Amino acid sequence: MDYLLDQLIRTTASTVPDDEALACRHQRVSYGSLDAQVDAMAGALAGADLQRRDRVAIYLSKTVENVVAMFAVARAGGVFVPVNPVLKSSQVGHILRDSGARMLVTTADRYGALGSTMETCPSIELVVLADRPEGSDEPGPGPKVIGWQELLAGPHRDSHRVIDIDIVSILYTSGSTGNPKGVVLSHRNMVDGARSVASYLENHASDRLLAVLPFSFDVGFSQLSTAFCTGGTTVLHDYFLPRDVLKVVEQQEITGITGVPPLWMQLADLEWPERAGSGVRYFANTGGKMPRALLQRLRDHFPNARPYLMYGLTEAFRSTYLPPQEVDRRPDSIGKAIPNAEILVIGDDGKPCAPGEPGELVHRGALVSMGYWNDPE
């Protein structure tokens, strides 16, 4: 049984090390290689004095280094903070300051674009540039800056002891008002979430899941965790045009796609060759209601796929899903509780509502997050 997030990779690597874990453009990374890279980076982070619960912000596009960094921080006993790569420097600065991150993993261009924003983030002591192997900057004001390979070449130490209720990540969600709020997630939150979703999506080792949403979005990250807990492959893809997604679905023989309504609307407008969509066995929607007309167009594009309409929020990862066999009968329903969760509708008196009576939706279970960072109230 895997209790820790990084163990999802290690367990599969111990049984089928040569199976493909990641595909990213022309790169192919096996589970054995990925586990070794995560292990090496975890030791290097510990050697760079990463302390238990230290936050490490990761400001990268969808790359192998991004995945290695997140899972290495988890293995080392730290807390990874994925930063959406499309955010402006002021928004990145808020996340760095609010999280109190000690380390930042990014690229030379992204770090340069942050400019004076870094002067407002005094907690950052070390910046690791994933695309610069040759070494560090000359000493000067601000944090120490080193290359990815230099960090790996430095001292290594054993990771901190970690248990399943320890914090592993902070995901920043914009919510409805004000600055983004940091949702605190434990290893247990993420591992149980992966198992729950993988069970009702019936994920398996032959799946090739398209990671097209940002890792800073819980459902974007779950394309990694659900694949890793079943031994499948995650295909990393940053798209600029909707047609890019069509191409990668066909070329990479994608079997599962999870998206949000704005993305689905763009994809539905494309002309899909039959061979492109015929291999997709499911598509899933979250982050907003799926209009019926849009659903039908997607079914036409993916004739062999089962649609999963899901409801949830970062604070509880995923709450409900509408089984594919109920989509035509109950197209406006948010479905039923996902495995290992209880969903209740509670009235003002604190008691469960009767059928048809409006109330507050309450989610109970292992997927409920630990709260908001720096905002317990």
Side-chain angles (χ1 to χ4, degrees):
M1 179 70 76
D2 298 317
Y3 295 100
L4 306 179
L5 184 63
D6 61 283
Q7 286 178 344
L8 299 178
I9 298 172
R10 173 151 289 175
T11 297
T12 304
S14 68
T15 55
V16 283
D18 295 330
D19 281 10
E20 187 177 78
L22 297 174
C24 182
R25 292 178 286 278
H26 300 298
Q27 287 181 280
R28 300 291 184 272
V29 182
S30 69
Y31 273 94
S33 174
L34 180 60
D35 186 57
Q37 291 182 57
V38 168
D39 214 41
M41 180 56 69
L45 289 168
D49 198 34
L50 181 76
Q51 297 298 307
R52 191 191 308 272
R53 289 169 55 107
D54 272 355
R55 277 76 64 203
V56 179
I58 301 170
Y59 184 39
L60 294 170
S61 58
K62 286 194 208 72
T63 59
V64 172
E65 289 81 6
N66 192 334
V67 179
V68 170
M70 290 189 293
F71 283 82
V73 172
R75 184 169 292 180
V79 178
F80 65 88
V81 184
V83 181
N84 191 329
V86 303
L87 292 183
K88 298 178 180 178
S89 60
S90 60
Q91 296 169 308
V92 176
H94 166 73
I95 292 173
L96 298 182
R97 290 189 298 273
D98 188 73
S99 66
R102 279 191 63 206
M103 299 182 185
L104 170 65
V105 182
T106 187
T107 62
D109 285 346
R110 289 185 184 278
Y111 184 57
L114 289 175
S116 61
T117 297
M118 292 304 301
E119 298 173 8
T120 70
C121 305
S123 65
I124 299 290
E125 298 175 6
L126 178 67
V127 176
V128 181
L129 300 181
D131 59 348
R132 206 190 67 200
E134 68 271 16
S136 62
D137 286 340
E138 291 299 318
K144 181 181 179 182
V145 181
I146 65 174
W148 181 275
Q149 294 301 326
E150 183 183 357
L151 178 65
L152 286 173
H156 285 227
R157 294 179 186 167
D158 291 338
S159 298
H160 299 285
R161 173 75 173 172
V162 179
I163 60 175
D164 66 342
I165 60 173
D166 287 338
I167 299 173
V168 68
S169 181
I170 303 174
L171 299 184
Y172 276 80
T173 175
S174 58
S176 55
T177 60
N179 284 319
K181 300 179 291 293
V183 176
V184 181
L185 299 166
S186 67
H187 283 266
R188 185 185 181 195
N189 288 149
M190 288 195 147
V191 171
D192 282 4
R195 290 193 188 117
S196 179
V197 174
S199 68
Y200 71 76
L201 291 179
E202 301 178 10
N203 288 124
H204 50 71
S206 298
D207 269 331
R208 297 180 65 80
L209 307 185
L210 181 61
V212 71
L213 300 174
F215 293 146
S216 55
F217 184 29
D218 60 312
V219 75
F221 183 85
S222 76
Q223 303 316 298
L224 295 169
S225 57
T226 53
F228 292 165
C229 81
T230 55
T233 301
T234 306
V235 178
L236 310 181
H237 182 63
D238 287 306
Y239 78 98
F240 297 99
L241 298 172
R243 188 161 294 280
D244 296 338
V245 178
L246 187 158
K247 292 178 181 177
V248 78
V249 169
E250 181 178 9
Q251 294 169 358
Q252 293 285 349
E253 300 179 324
I254 298 298
T255 63
I257 312 172
T258 300
V260 292
L263 173 62
W264 289 128
M265 290 176 186
Q266 292 178 317
L267 297 183
D269 287 338
L270 299 176
E271 292 293 331
W272 283 74
E274 182 179 349
R275 64 183 182 278
S278 60
V280 177
R281 72 169 189 85
Y282 76 83
F283 62 92
N285 178 70
T286 189
K289 183 178 179 180
M290 170 77 80
R292 297 187 200 184
L294 176 59
L295 175 61
Q296 186 54 53
R297 288 159 66 197
L298 292 173
R299 286 169 131 177
D300 293 340
H301 292 322
F302 308 125
N304 301 318
R306 305 176 74 191
Y308 287 85
L309 307 185
M310 306 185 297
Y311 173 84
L313 64 168
T314 305
E315 289 83 349
F317 186 63
R318 208 72 53 80
S319 294
T320 67
Y321 77 102
L322 186 63
Q325 63 270 22
E326 297 290 341
V327 167
D328 291 321
R329 286 206 306 154
R330 314 171 193 265
D332 298 317
S333 170
I334 64 169
K336 63 179 183 178
I338 64 173
N340 199 28
E342 184 177 21
I343 305 298
L344 305 167
V345 182
I346 302 296
D348 293 337
D349 59 359
K351 297 179 180 179
C353 293
E357 180 184 356
E360 181 181 14
L361 196 67
V362 176
H363 178 134
R364 191 174 76 90
L367 277 65
V368 177
S369 68
M370 302 174 76
Y372 291 114
W373 183 257
N374 285 336
D375 193 2
E377 184 179 351

